[in-house]
Amino acid sequence: MSSVAVRLDLHSQRSTDLFKRSNTSAHAATLITSEFEYKINITLGGQPFTVQLDSGSADLWVVGTVSNANLTGYNATDSYLDGTVTTGPVKTAVLELAGFTVPDQAFMEVSPSANQLEGSGLIGIGPYNTSTILDALGGQLKGAPPLDRIFGQNISTSNYFTVFSNRLNDTEETTPGTFTIEEVISGYDNIFEQPKIGVTSYPPEKDGSSWQGLLDVNGIIGPNGKPLNVSSSISGNPDKRRLVAVFDTGTTNTYVLPSVAKQIYSVIDGAMFMLSPVPQWLVPCEAEVNVTFKFGGQSYPMHPLDLSRELDSDLDLCAGIFQPSLELAPEYDLLLGDAFLKSVYMLINAGDFVDGSPEGPNITASAAPYVQLLAITDPAKAHLEFVAARLNGSDTTGNQTFNPVPDAFIFGFEEPPVSTDPPASTYPDTPHTNQQAPDPPASTYPDTPHTNQQAPGSAALLSGAAASAAHQQDCFFERHKTAIIVVGAVGGVLLLLLLAAGIFAAVKWRQAARSEGARPARVYRPLDDPAPAGEGEKVAGYSDL
């Protein structure tokens, strides 16, 4: 099984923190946020480790030897699409995390390498059924992910955790956030009043393989203030007007359908689409891009500094954070990574135990899981921070205009249009628990396509007009490919025949021209013929002999 975690090397600049607070909670851990990933400190077997916090996977692995650990006799492997592969023996040791202690937590021990430094690692806080360690141990209790072990210690409490990420400022490489288990940050109790976004599963038998939920109808508001025209690509989603979104702390960017990325960035004057090294939109760095998501009737605006990032290149362009991808998993339409999560305080309830249900991964008596989001970005304040960071304090955004979204496809890279007509029975409002999905896809859960970002150098860039024309040509070719090939082949043969006939005619013409312009042939008399008779004149001074 492959995980969905990824580490992307990105260069970005963030604004100052909107919220600052001290962490005095008994069950909280300092969340170290950087421009790459979220990390927390844990203790395993009495040894400290700084591990990445990933809500897209469920395993715990550390790099280096844990002295006070016990062998299980099993091995496990996790694979990542950025090329990272973690493999090693599965051991158990005492885990200390956010004030909780697990006496025999299973983990994978990974050998140090150039890309995996000793003392590092990853702790997955995703649904337990994505755990390869749990599979390796045959579903034994000690193989359950850390959060499931912690939740099982007291079945009378709610099984939830929260993630609050601070934004980087201009001088700090890292800045602390907060990760809590079974409690919220002081002063943010109103997160319990936010809409409950039911965790969905498509197909239903996946049973919550990731923390994902449904956007509202018209759930993405673009930079021009208008809702994006979207259509879900999930075959089991009964209402194609609502996109399925995954919340993933292990991903830096936000991965979306190509049509979504196009509607966000193509309206910006000066926007360009980059074909290589990865498909990506570029916008002028001074252009303020604003996007708002809607869940359960609530709006969640993103910070404009998180919608694009500055690049290490000579181009005065910034890379769009919404990266287009046609290779998203068949269970979701977009993956909301750290760029989105910096604008919300997130609570994930993994499903409370009910009726005295026992500890362990095979829980049958538990409530449906859900996600709650609290908006923490003030649009007015965020605008001022954007002006200060990108425009040197001189607000010129009042002159910013928006272009219409081009109708054509992006070099065949964009998904085909799908009808967004509402079904006869609309999708119920939140909370959205697991829905019975018709015609589930046969494919298994693939890796999430998170490729490392690179700054464009000599990459091919297309302006909106050029891209639109090229998209139209490509779309036409895809629809009429067979006819175009046949007509082209016949036309090619005829062209060759005409060319041969022309060459033959030209050769014959040159031969004829030479014949008509030639000098008359000379005729010579035999040497023994008598000279012809003719009149002669005597030359003065000579006499007849």
Side-chain angles (χ1 to χ4, degrees), residues 8-96:
L8 300 178
D9 295 333
L10 303 178
H11 178 271
S12 63
Q13 183 176 353
R14 300 286 196 260
S15 58
T16 56
D17 299 340
L18 292 178
F19 298 89
K20 292 184 181 289
R21 70 206 167 278
S22 60
N23 177 15
T24 59
S25 174
H27 295 303
T30 297
L31 185 64
I32 306 170
T33 61
S34 70
E35 54 186 349
F36 304 137
E37 55 199 11
Y38 295 169
K39 296 180 180 180
I40 60 172
N41 294 318
I42 66 170
T43 300
L44 191 61
Q47 297 176 224
F49 291 90
T50 300
V51 295
Q52 181 182 358
L53 187 71
D54 179 28
S55 64
S57 63
D59 285 327
L60 169 63
W61 54 266
V62 296
V63 182
T65 301
V66 180
S67 301
N68 300 317
N70 299 313
L71 289 169
T72 65
Y74 297 94
N75 293 302
T77 299
D78 277 330
S79 301
Y80 301 84
L81 275 185
D82 64 350
T84 301
V85 176
T86 58
T87 185
V90 176
K91 298 183 178 182
T92 62
V94 177
L95 169 67
E96 296 179 48

Side-chain angles (χ1 to χ4, degrees), residues 165-344:
S165 170
N166 275 356
R167 180 169 287 102
L168 295 176
N169 61 31
D170 296 343
T171 59
E172 294 176 316
E173 293 183 358
T174 60
T175 186
T178 302
F179 169 69
T180 70
I181 301 176
E182 296 184 346
E183 63 184 42
V184 300
I185 299 171
S186 177
Y188 291 89
D189 293 343
N190 55 339
I191 192 171
F192 292 121
E193 302 171 5
Q194 303 307 305
K196 293 181 179 180
I197 306 165
V199 174
T200 59
S201 295
Y202 299 109
E205 57 266 24
K206 297 298 290 188
D207 191 25
S209 58
S210 58
W211 305 126
Q212 62 188 46
L214 284 168
L215 278 166
D216 292 351
V217 176
N218 296 326
I220 307 179
I221 307 302
N224 57 6
K226 300 178 181 179
L228 272 56
N229 182 20
V230 301
S231 178
S232 176
S233 62
I234 309 305
S235 61
N237 186 355
D239 191 345
K240 299 299 184 182
R241 300 172 300 168
R242 309 183 69 175
L243 300 186
V244 180
V246 170
F247 307 100
D248 189 1
T249 64
T251 302
T252 304
N253 276 10
T254 290
Y255 292 85
V256 298
L257 297 172
S259 61
V260 172
K262 181 182 71 175
Q263 292 180 75
I264 291 174
Y265 294 116
S266 67
V267 299
I268 304 299
D269 194 27
M272 309 186 84
F273 184 73
M274 181 174 69
L275 296 174
S276 63
V278 293
Q280 193 170 23
W281 281 93
L282 304 178
V283 296
C285 292
E286 65 273 13
E288 182 177 353
V289 183
N290 288 288
V291 172
T292 297
F293 290 89
K294 290 187 174 182
F295 292 96
Q298 294 290 327
S299 295
Y300 300 93
M302 287 185 63
H303 198 293
L305 286 173
D306 293 330
L307 268 295
S308 64
R309 69 179 184 279
E310 295 176 308
L311 297 167
D312 291 328
S313 72
D314 295 332
L315 297 174
D316 187 21
L317 295 172
C318 284
I321 288 295
F322 289 95
Q323 185 169 331
S325 176
L326 276 175
E327 299 178 358
L328 294 171
E331 292 90 2
Y332 55 86
D333 297 301
L334 64 156
L335 192 150
L336 299 178
D338 301 344
F340 169 78
L341 296 177
K342 290 181 185 296
S343 291
V344 299

Side-chain angles (χ1 to χ4, degrees), residues 518-525:
R519 290 178 296 178
R522 294 178 180 271
V523 180
Y524 296 92
R525 295 174 62 85

